[in-house]
Amino acid sequence: MEQPLILRHLLGQGILPEPFMENMLDRQMPLSGIANTKERFREIYDHFTWGSDEDRQFFFRFGEHAKMTCLILCTDWCPDVIWNVPVLFRVMEHADIKAGVLLMEEHLEVMDLFLTNGGRAQPIAVFMDEDGRVLGRWGARPAYIQAVMDGFKQSHPNPQASDYQENLNKTYKAIGELYCADSGTTYQKGLIGELRQLFSRFPLESNPRGPRP
């Protein structure tokens, strides 16, 4: 039986959501449809709404019976971080799960425990119990968007090819269009649905909370 991964030394670590947002740099990512990364991140965070009341209730009820930490491995220069991490922050808040950011460049040894198809894709959200036992992970993109990048890598295995960067840029553009579709509601629904599936496999324990908001 495979031994669980325990990262107890990381409990209590990480940059809290608000300081992370405040200290982000302003960047432009035209291929991804992002004119200003800091502004877009904050906009997604501030205007987040639940796609369904069922989802909202699920995460609230989960928070009544779970004591967990979420550490998000990421940077502020990746477009997938700009789209996905604000949603992760909001869901964690609602589920009463402590969230913190581990800057990828400062925690490469941890990042390399959670590679995506052998690469350092971000963001990666790592969920741990009170003892630092890793219960699961999410990232780096909703599955239907990740499939676009996977398809590119399968059809363009040689990074030294003359047309590699051109086709990679086309892929980034296609991924950006998927994130922008329907004002972001489609990818957020996908992300939340994947988190629900993941959380449904986590063990629960008593964690009394106040009245439902």
Side-chain angles (χ1 to χ4, degrees), residues 123-164:
I124 298 294
V126 181
F127 301 98
M128 301 185 295
D129 65 15
E130 288 186 297
D131 297 319
R133 182 180 294 102
V134 175
L135 303 174
R137 57 165 277 182
W138 180 89
R141 306 173 175 96
Y144 78 101
I145 297 181
Q146 181 63 41
V148 176
M149 180 57 72
D150 292 344
F152 164 77
K153 290 185 176 180
Q154 289 171 7
S155 58
H156 299 83
N158 181 15
Q160 305 306 318
S162 60
D163 62 346
Y164 182 88

Side-chain angles (χ1 to χ4, degrees), residues 31-210:
L31 286 176
S32 300
I34 303 175
N36 184 298
T37 54
K38 186 172 184 176
E39 288 182 1
R40 178 58 66 91
F41 191 109
R42 176 64 75 169
E43 178 184 13
I44 296 169
Y45 179 82
D46 287 343
H47 295 95
F48 171 78
T49 57
W50 291 96
S52 74
D53 192 60
E54 181 183 355
D55 287 336
R56 186 181 68 84
Q57 293 287 351
F58 171 87
F59 286 101
F60 187 89
R61 288 194 301 269
F62 183 89
E64 293 180 315
H65 300 284
K67 298 178 181 179
M68 288 171 39
T69 293
C70 173
L71 291 177
I72 304 171
L73 289 150
C74 68
T75 66
D76 71 349
W77 48 258
C78 173
D80 296 290
V81 170
I82 306 306
W83 297 113
N84 294 309
V85 173
V87 180
L88 287 169
F89 281 168
R90 283 303 197 189
V91 174
M92 295 310 109
E93 288 171 10
H94 195 70
D96 199 24
I97 295 173
K98 298 176 182 177
V101 170
L102 296 179
L103 297 178
M104 185 182 72
E105 300 99 323
E106 298 176 6
H107 297 274
L108 293 179
E109 75 289 350
V110 181
M111 189 72 190
D112 287 345
L113 298 172
F114 302 99
L115 300 178
T116 302
N117 298 327
R120 292 171 177 166
Q122 55 172 313
I124 298 294
V126 181
F127 301 98
M128 301 185 295
D129 65 15
E130 288 186 297
D131 297 319
R133 182 180 294 102
V134 175
L135 303 174
R137 57 165 277 182
W138 180 89
R141 306 173 175 96
Y144 78 101
I145 297 181
Q146 181 63 41
V148 176
M149 180 57 72
D150 292 344
F152 164 77
K153 290 185 176 180
Q154 289 171 7
S155 58
H156 299 83
N158 181 15
Q160 305 306 318
S162 60
D163 62 346
Y164 182 88
Q165 189 61 50
E166 178 184 355
N167 286 303
L168 179 59
N169 288 345
K170 290 179 180 178
T171 302
Y172 285 146
K173 188 174 186 298
I175 287 175
E177 290 171 352
L178 289 175
Y179 278 122
C180 291
D182 302 319
S183 300
T185 57
T186 299
Y187 91 84
Q188 292 186 18
K189 181 179 179 180
L191 193 168
I192 290 170
E194 290 172 16
L195 289 178
R196 280 192 63 166
Q197 289 185 339
L198 181 63
F199 281 30
S200 295
R201 301 196 296 267
F202 292 165
L204 300 178
E205 56 186 288
S206 178
N207 183 30
R209 301 176 65 183

